Amino acid sequence: MLMISPRMASGMQEKQYTPSLLSFFIYNPKFGPREGEEEKKILFYHPIEIEKNEKIRNVGLCEAIVQFTRTFCPTKPAKSLHTQKNRQFFHEPEENYWMVMVVRNPMVEKPNKDGKPPTVEYQEEEIIDSVYGSVLQQCYSMYKLFNGTFSRAFEAGGVELLTQKLEKFFYRYLQTLHLQSCDLLDVFGGISFFPLDKMTYLKIQSFVNRVEESLSLVKYTAFLYNDQLIWSGLEQDDMRILYKYLTTSLFPRHTEPELAGRDSPLRPEVAGNLLHYGRFLTGPANLKDPDAKFRFPRIYVNTEDSYEELHLIVYKAMSAAVCFMVNVAVDLNREFCEQLDSLVGPQLTLLASDICEQYNINRRTSGPEKEPQFKFIYFNHMNLAEKSTIHMRKTASVSLTSVHSDLMKILGDINCDFARVDEDEEIIVKAMTDYWVVGKKSDQRELYVILNQKNANLIEVNEEVKRLCATQFNNIFFLD
Amino acid sequence: MHRSDNRGSWEFQPEDTLIEKTGKFPSSLAQANLNGQKKAGSAVDVPSLAYRNEDIMSESWRQHRKHVFVLSEAGKPIYSRYGNEEALASTMGVMMALVSFVQAGGNMIRSIFSDEHTVVFLQKGPLVFVSVSATRQSEQQLRSELLHVYHQIVSMLTQASINRIFERRKNFDLRRLLFGSEKVLDGLLDVMDSDPSFMLSAVQCLPLPSSSRDTLSHILQKAVTPNLVFSFLIANNRLVSVVQEKTVLEDARLKPSDLHLLFNLIRASSAFQAGEIWTPICLPLFNHDCYFYAYVAYLDPPECTVCLVLLSTDKEAFYALAECKRKIEEAFASQNALQWVTNTPLYYVGDIGVANLKHFLYKPSKVLDHHRQLPQFTCPEMEVAYRSQEERIHLLDLYRNMHNRIHSTSRPLKLIYHSAGKETLLAWVTSKFEMFACFTPLITKKSAISELTKLLRWIKKEEERLFICQLPKYSSAPQPGRSSTDRGRSDRPDTSDTGLLSLL
């Protein structure tokens, strides 16, 4: 992506290019072990226009690098390759299946006089490995959520089926990657939880129990409000990737029409059912139309042990959304959907307005917003709970941060330093711009605070953060 | 107050040879001793020689903290820190293939990262340097270490001759010229691990009252001869005094990196222990294409802790320089000056009166002239907690990590305060200085600030003793007989005088 930053005189502009995807490929060396068979190793390659021999060479380089690093540590081979112009990230999600993502380094193009081509300067220190490494891992998780594992696909239909699935998924998914705005939150891959009082939480729990009892076909349920999770019956790793899919793909697709004006053609067909506001986000868009065909997306969970393939039903009423997961063996017909609609619709509508009311009461009693003045990011490794007052409107396309990207990179650096040891630590830095950044790690939780207090000293900064911890985090962090 | 007990704090002793990450003490190596006697103050070559034949297939070879490989562009092995480089020929071939492959795409390979290791590549002319490190040092620091290895090779051969050799014959085996010099590179790699001078790009001086230092410098200043460019007085790896030719001083051409390489070369060659030594040496940052001729002699045999090094551009100057040394010795003897050097107290953190401070590094910025001309730093002797080689390296690793963050090219910082399990660390860069400090782990921020303030006050008070505050030049121009108009240029090493080069 190109960002123009105008500089001084003579209309000469320095152009700043952000990191971008150069190529992405998946290979398995076992599929083409002999000379002359190299092409067989390649299961997916983007961009597709690249000449065959070059693809083979690039894959060969990756194999050589992995092999070389195995000389020194057989069990922990290469994770990334740094070159002047780009970075390559390696991930082996299943034995012998390798995924490689090549990201072009950010660069600055400086114009030259006299019609000479502009000088390109690569900025080699900008990209943080842990961030993009996590993005690559997430590519696999997302693929696996909708397609199951590579090995199962290979078992079911050989290389042909596998390559077909990879092509179909990644061709679209890669277009949704926005590498210029990846940051620390990608490392966490966390879930934003909706803050609730005990009463309302119990109401939701009993709602889920009731529905699961009545619709015995439902295996797992997840309950969200306002793009935030309240309850989930899924394993953590499955929920975190499903959450990402819901909040960055499914929900945004459906909110835009909702926000459209009354007479806009985008407005969804309100089924004319005045009893409730519930509707399907996956499956039948309009229950009233008997001829409309529909199907539910399939997801794969618990791939390490029970390996389950499920229908994903997402049903929404106002700001509350419920996911019901049913075994694929079951045929979800119109009858079932109508049953679900009449059972869940009214209850969910009621629940949604209850939550809304309770939420407003809580906000009023907790007093004026103390939060906004603190820019922080919090993550709990145990339950994957994540909270950021720095990111705004994280959608499929862009997550805007209210702080300079250099500060976000400093957070990334501190996170890397934390990852080196298992102990509780605290790192406080003062940046060149006189912003203070405080990182605290305690007992599986991480907190990052950015303070714009140019004339503060270390002690004052410490006091500020202590206040934040006391009000927001109930003294989870104990360091002085 | 503690007497300097014949050991520089950054030297490692024959007894505490490297304890690897595996914790295995190479006991079989500790017994062997080439010369049959232990010499204090010398780098240990013996263990390195034993590593020459280490089995490269073994687990222990893989587990070394840091491998360094040097090869030619043709993929020919030149040096390996551990293991026989010939046995590593195919591994080196792979490294070269990786470099070439990326180059063929109009790109340059920089590094490879895995969970346990960082592999860093550096190409300088026809030579390729690769570091495989389990230390988690940053890419930039590992690359700068490789650059030092390159410069050490240049200090022995000069860049011009290296380039010319490979231009004529791409397949040349540089080991023929470096035979016997492996221990110089081994010594360099060992000292870089545990000596902060490299990280700080600065020189550590021997603390000495300025009056004493001035007297010593004065004696060196007067011992001149034509073509003499540098006179160094070194004690236990610390600089006592340096006198320079006038324009060299004014142009600040003496770089700490060159000095480190010079010290290493002297230290690593056990031949330098006895009598006088006369050897060519190139200072790569000063001029990478020609040799100086170094006269080296210890002024206090048999302890051999105080070393005089005179660098001249004239390869016939041996007797003239020997005469300079005699004059210096005489002048020292008349004032018993050598005692000042050997008896000067080094300082410990305890001497400063800051209870929770365990160690620090302090480097003044280049604002003052003498620091611009010769970047210096000071640090206390190691306390009990950091006496062993392994602990020293661990502390230095902590400093290195902060140094890397605070001097990041992309997002530099002004201050880092890091509270961790075993220590609390501080790194601070201001316009006047940069410093790194290590405190006990449970210190409060208030105490840390107050101790830091005390420390800075102490340093200010002791400034004249801790640093060389005046860099002297020779008393009379060392070039009688040359016209004054020539002086500017003729004081530089003569580029046509290539000495060893003419033999190639």
Side-chain angles (χ1 to χ4, degrees):
Chain A
M1 196 176 111
L2 167 63
M3 286 156 44
I4 306 227
S5 71
R7 302 259 160 159
M8 322 149 328
S10 61
M12 304 267 244
Q13 289 182 338
E14 225 179 60
K15 294 190 207 158
Q16 170 81 53
Y17 289 85
T18 52
S20 61
L21 183 68
L22 278 181
S23 63
F24 185 103
F25 48 93
I26 302 173
Y27 69 92
N28 184 330
K30 300 279 180 213
F31 290 177
R34 289 184 291 272
E35 221 171 293
E37 286 190 325
E38 290 87 358
E39 201 182 358
K40 293 195 190 162
K41 296 183 219 181
I42 305 176
L43 301 166
F44 172 80
Y45 202 108
H46 161 86
I48 202 156
E49 313 84 58
I50 300 288
E51 195 240 318
K52 178 181 94 158
N53 284 327
E54 194 179 320
K55 289 185 190 176
I56 292 176
R57 276 199 306 271
N58 291 338
V59 169
L61 174 66
C62 296
E63 279 186 89
I65 286 175
V66 167
Q67 270 313 105
F68 174 69
T69 50
R70 282 219 159 104
T71 324
F72 298 94
C73 184
T75 51
K76 300 207 172 128
K79 282 173 76 165
S80 71
L81 166 71
H82 294 203
T83 67
Q84 179 199 24
K85 296 183 177 171
N86 58 54
R87 290 222 184 162
Q88 301 196 16
F89 299 94
F90 308 101
H91 180 43
E92 188 188 16
E94 297 173 39
E95 200 178 349
N96 293 317
Y97 286 97
W98 284 89
M99 297 174 72
V100 181
M101 180 170 81
V102 185
V103 180
R104 196 204 50 217
N105 278 328
M107 54 190 206
V108 179
E109 206 176 72
K110 297 187 177 140
N112 273 324
K113 305 197 179 104
D114 310 330
K116 278 200 264 187
T119 359
V120 173
E121 192 187 282
Y122 288 92
Q123 296 166 321
E124 300 184 41
E125 311 301 332
E126 299 299 313
I127 291 182
I128 297 184
D129 276 5
S130 55
V131 171
Y132 291 84
S134 303
V135 170
L136 178 58
Q137 284 174 23
Q138 221 169 48
C139 286
Y140 171 73
S141 303
M142 195 64 89
Y143 167 87
K144 192 183 67 149
L145 180 69
F146 292 105
N147 292 278
T149 60
F150 295 155
S151 17
R152 289 272 181 142
F154 177 70
E155 280 163 32
V159 178
E160 298 76 38
L161 178 63
L162 179 56
T163 48
Q164 227 175 66
K165 281 178 171 256
L166 293 173
E167 176 69 43
K168 186 156 168 243
F169 176 82
F170 282 106
Y171 179 71
R172 271 188 311 152
Y173 186 71
L174 291 179
Q175 291 172 28
T176 69
L177 288 182
H178 293 272
L179 297 182
Q180 72 275 17
S181 52
C182 296
D183 62 24
L184 184 62
L185 289 189
D186 290 290
V187 177
F188 294 148
I191 300 173
S192 184
F193 282 89
F194 188 79
L196 266 188
D197 60 293
K198 282 205 178 67
M199 269 315 293
T200 321
Y201 185 79
L202 284 173
K203 277 193 203 167
I204 293 170
Q205 268 225 291
S206 57
F207 160 77
V208 169
N209 289 339
R210 266 178 283 136
V211 175
E212 280 185 348
E213 248 189 75
S214 323
L215 301 171
S216 55
L217 298 168
V218 171
K219 264 203 107 171
Y220 305 105
T221 313
F223 195 107
L224 296 93
Y225 187 86
N226 238 356
D227 277 19
Q228 293 176 288
L229 187 65
I230 292 177
W231 154 263
S232 160
L234 279 179
E235 283 297 310
Q236 250 184 19
D237 278 338
D238 291 326
M239 189 61 229
R240 98 206 283 182
I241 194 68
L242 178 63
Y243 176 81
K244 182 158 166 85
Y245 164 69
L246 294 172
T247 54
T248 59
S249 180
L250 187 66
F251 291 166
R253 242 189 291 150
H254 290 268
T255 356
E256 282 161 39
E258 267 174 11
L259 296 173
R262 181 105 66 98
D263 300 317
S264 159
L266 285 175
R267 195 155 176 75
E269 284 299 314
V270 179
N273 185 345
L274 300 169
L275 294 176
H276 64 81
Y277 288 106
R279 60 194 181 91
F280 285 89
L281 292 190
T282 60
N286 183 1
L287 271 179
K288 292 281 178 204
D289 183 353
D291 296 322
K293 294 230 177 358
F294 63 89
R295 57 177 295 279
F296 291 96
R298 296 192 181 184
I299 60 171
Y300 296 78
V301 300
N302 289 326
T303 51
E304 300 293 305
D305 27 32
S306 47
Y307 202 92
E308 300 165 73
E309 192 181 348
L310 309 160
H311 291 292
L312 174 67
I313 304 170
V314 184
Y315 189 89
K316 191 170 185 191
M318 304 192 322
S319 296
V322 203
C323 301
F324 300 107
M325 286 154 265
V326 179
N327 195 305
V328 270
V330 175
D331 173 36
L332 297 180
N333 51 24
R334 178 167 298 283
E335 210 187 298
F336 174 84
C337 294
E338 281 170 355
Q339 191 193 4
L340 194 144
D341 182 69
S342 56
L343 171 66
V344 177
Q347 292 188 52
L348 190 61
T349 308
L350 234 89
L351 207 44
S353 48
D354 264 352
I355 297 171
C356 187
E357 210 181 294
Q358 201 54 42
Y359 180 63
N360 287 330
I361 295 174
N362 287 339
R363 285 186 65 172
R364 260 178 272 134
T365 51
S366 75
E369 279 295 301
K370 288 198 200 99
E371 291 177 27
Q373 73 188 64
F374 282 111
K375 293 189 199 285
F376 68 84
I377 294 179
Y378 168 82
F379 179 69
N380 184 335
H381 287 269
M382 291 183 291
N383 63 1
L384 307 183
E386 153 195 297
K387 179 166 178 161
S388 166
T389 59
I390 294 175
H391 292 80
M392 305 171 306
R393 256 191 8 100
K394 200 160 186 202
T395 67
S397 46
V398 141
S399 91
L400 299 166
T401 54
S402 60
V403 298
H404 195 275
S405 63
D406 273 353
L407 285 171
M408 284 308 298
K409 287 175 193 158
I410 291 174
L411 294 198
D413 290 340
I414 296 177
N415 169 261
C416 284
D417 286 343
F418 280 164
R420 289 176 179 217
V421 283
D422 242 334
E423 306 162 347
D424 289 356
E425 293 195 304
E426 179 185 56
I427 295 180
I428 303 180
V429 307
K430 185 174 189 191
M432 293 306 269
T433 47
D434 288 332
Y435 274 79
W436 288 87
V437 179
V438 179
K440 278 164 123 62
K441 180 175 84 151
S442 175
D443 196 31
Q444 300 278 315
R445 296 172 174 93
E446 293 181 39
L447 173 69
Y448 301 84
V449 186
I450 296 179
L451 296 167
N452 178 8
Q453 292 180 2
K454 314 222 162 179
N455 298 320
N457 64 29
L458 189 65
I459 313 250
E460 289 162 1
V461 163
N462 195 44
E463 293 303 309
E464 275 287 291
V465 174
K466 261 179 164 164
R467 275 201 296 130
L468 168 67
C469 289
T471 54
Q472 296 275 329
F473 299 104
N474 293 328
N475 285 318
I476 291 173
F477 299 97
F478 292 118
L479 303 170
D480 162 60
Chain B
M1 294 301 205
H2 304 261
R3 192 204 144 99
S4 73
D5 48 341
N6 261 3
R7 310 192 231 183
S9 64
W10 298 106
E11 305 245 287
F12 59 93
Q13 303 310 303
E15 307 87 76
D16 57 7
T17 45
L18 295 171
I19 296 176
E20 294 295 331
K21 242 179 141 189
T22 55
K24 290 192 286 224
F25 193 98
S27 54
S28 53
L29 309 172
Q31 305 316 311
N33 188 310
L34 250 195
N35 298 340
Q37 33 183 168
K38 292 183 185 166
K39 287 254 183 347
S42 68
V44 189
D45 356 305
V46 171
S48 323
L49 281 180
Y51 282 136
R52 280 281 98 68
N53 298 313
E54 193 177 355
D55 175 14
I56 60 167
M57 291 293 133
S58 68
E59 191 57 34
S60 61
W61 183 83
R62 272 202 287 274
Q63 287 189 354
H64 281 297
R65 183 187 138 90
K66 191 182 294 172
H67 287 270
V68 173
F69 306 101
V70 184
L71 45 144
S72 72
E73 250 182 338
K76 267 200 139 54
I78 295 174
Y79 168 83
S80 165
R81 189 180 186 185
Y82 302 111
N84 184 283
E85 72 281 349
E86 191 57 48
L88 289 160
S90 62
T91 313
M92 299 217 193
V94 172
M95 291 181 219
M96 197 56 225
L98 295 176
V99 172
S100 310
F101 185 96
V102 176
Q103 219 167 46
N107 198 353
M108 283 198 276
I109 194 169
R110 300 295 197 209
S111 55
I112 302 172
F113 285 78
S114 62
D115 275 339
E116 298 276 313
H117 293 96
T118 307
V119 183
V120 176
F121 296 84
L122 172 72
Q123 178 155 12
K124 290 296 276 182
L127 301 181
V128 175
F129 299 81
V130 184
S131 173
V132 181
S133 155
T135 65
R136 289 169 159 177
Q137 276 171 273
S138 73
E139 188 182 331
Q140 296 84 338
Q141 285 176 347
L142 291 169
R143 189 165 293 117
S144 111
E145 288 181 359
L146 291 178
L147 193 60
H148 278 109
V149 175
Y150 170 67
H151 282 150
Q152 186 83 80
I153 294 177
V154 169
S155 77
M156 297 187 277
L157 302 177
T158 77
Q159 186 170 297
S161 68
I162 294 171
N163 289 347
R164 190 174 47 236
I165 292 167
F166 282 98
E167 228 174 82
R168 287 196 208 141
R169 263 190 288 164
K170 286 232 167 330
N171 264 340
F172 187 79
D173 186 350
L174 202 63
R175 284 176 295 178
R176 288 166 49 191
L177 294 181
L178 288 176
F179 184 70
S181 313
E182 299 90 358
K183 58 179 189 259
V184 177
L185 298 180
D186 290 342
L188 177 68
L189 291 168
D190 289 338
V191 83
M192 282 200 292
D193 270 341
S194 58
D195 185 341
S197 335
F198 293 88
M199 173 184 92
L200 295 172
S201 294
V203 175
Q204 193 176 12
C205 303
L206 191 74
L208 204 59
S210 52
S211 55
S212 313
R213 203 189 307 271
D214 286 345
T215 309
L216 295 170
S217 302
H218 194 59
I219 293 171
L220 264 67
Q221 272 176 298
K222 294 210 297 207
V224 285
T225 180
N227 300 310
L228 183 62
V229 181
F230 292 109
S231 302
F232 298 101
L233 191 65
I234 305 162
N236 293 318
N237 218 30
R238 314 273 184 106
L239 188 62
V240 179
S241 168
V242 53
V243 180
Q244 306 175 53
E245 192 277 328
K246 174 163 159 285
T247 48
V248 162
L249 174 63
E250 281 163 7
D251 295 345
R253 294 197 59 193
L254 177 63
K255 304 294 175 202
S257 165
D258 280 347
L259 216 54
H260 299 146
L261 298 176
L262 175 65
F263 286 10
N264 184 52
L265 202 58
I266 291 170
R267 191 177 40 234
S269 311
S270 52
F272 282 29
Q273 292 294 320
E276 304 151 304
I277 299 304
W278 179 238
T279 184
I281 180 170
C282 165
L283 295 186
L285 293 183
F286 185 102
N287 183 329
H288 48 60
D289 292 336
C290 342
Y291 286 106
F292 279 101
Y293 296 90
Y295 175 93
V296 184
Y298 282 90
L299 299 181
D300 62 334
E303 290 91 7
C304 292
T305 62
V306 185
C307 183
L308 178 70
V309 181
L310 305 170
L311 295 188
S312 164
T313 56
D314 179 5
K315 72 175 181 198
E316 312 295 342
F318 177 77
Y319 292 104
L321 296 177
E323 178 58 24
C324 287
K325 178 232 181 190
R326 201 195 52 78
K327 281 200 215 134
I328 291 169
E329 261 183 326
E330 226 171 66
F332 275 12
S334 71
Q335 307 196 47
N336 218 2
L338 219 51
Q339 291 285 349
W340 305 339
V341 173
T342 50
N343 288 355
T344 193
L346 301 173
Y347 69 96
Y348 288 77
V349 143
D351 300 332
I352 304 174
V354 270
N356 292 303
L357 182 67
K358 297 210 278 188
H359 190 263
F360 70 89
L361 305 172
Y362 178 92
K363 175 186 174 190
S365 71
K366 293 186 178 172
V367 168
L368 296 170
D369 232 7
H370 56 272
H371 289 296
R372 182 185 58 84
Q373 287 164 335
L374 183 67
Q376 302 169 48
F377 79 96
T378 187
C379 75
E381 297 305 295
M382 287 297 195
E383 295 285 354
V384 172
Y386 295 110
R387 277 280 165 79
S388 81
Q389 183 75 340
E390 192 171 282
E391 279 153 2
R392 253 181 261 163
I393 292 178
H394 167 71
L395 177 62
L396 205 54
D397 279 343
L398 296 172
Y399 285 151
R400 275 190 275 247
N401 195 42
M402 290 199 294
H403 187 274
N404 176 51
R405 292 272 184 240
I406 213 166
H407 290 295
S408 158
T409 44
S410 128
R411 35 198 186 269
L413 305 168
K414 288 187 180 179
L415 181 125
I416 304 177
Y417 185 92
H418 185 163
S419 311
K422 295 214 224 82
E423 46 264 303
T424 293
L425 300 155
L426 176 95
W428 193 13
V429 175
T430 72
S431 56
K432 297 231 166 67
F433 60 81
E434 93 181 51
M435 72 175 303
F436 299 84
C438 175
F439 298 92
T440 53
L442 298 175
I443 195 175
T444 63
K445 292 179 182 67
K446 267 209 170 78
S447 306
I449 303 278
S450 97
E451 297 213 348
L452 207 60
T453 316
K454 262 197 223 160
L455 172 64
L456 291 172
R457 250 185 249 139
W458 181 87
I459 292 175
K460 183 96 201 136
K461 192 177 77 151
E462 300 288 324
E463 216 170 16
E464 303 250 309
R465 191 172 67 96
L466 299 174
F467 302 108
I468 296 179
C469 296
Q470 291 236 9
L471 288 165
K473 55 185 189 281
Y474 292 112
S475 300
S476 50
Q479 296 270 10
R482 299 253 194 160
S483 76
S484 53
T485 51
D486 275 336
R487 188 165 303 152
R489 271 200 265 126
S490 61
D491 290 343
R492 302 270 150 90
D494 200 341
T495 52
S496 64
D497 184 316
T498 50
L500 214 60
L501 291 183
S502 57
L503 297 174
L504 296 168

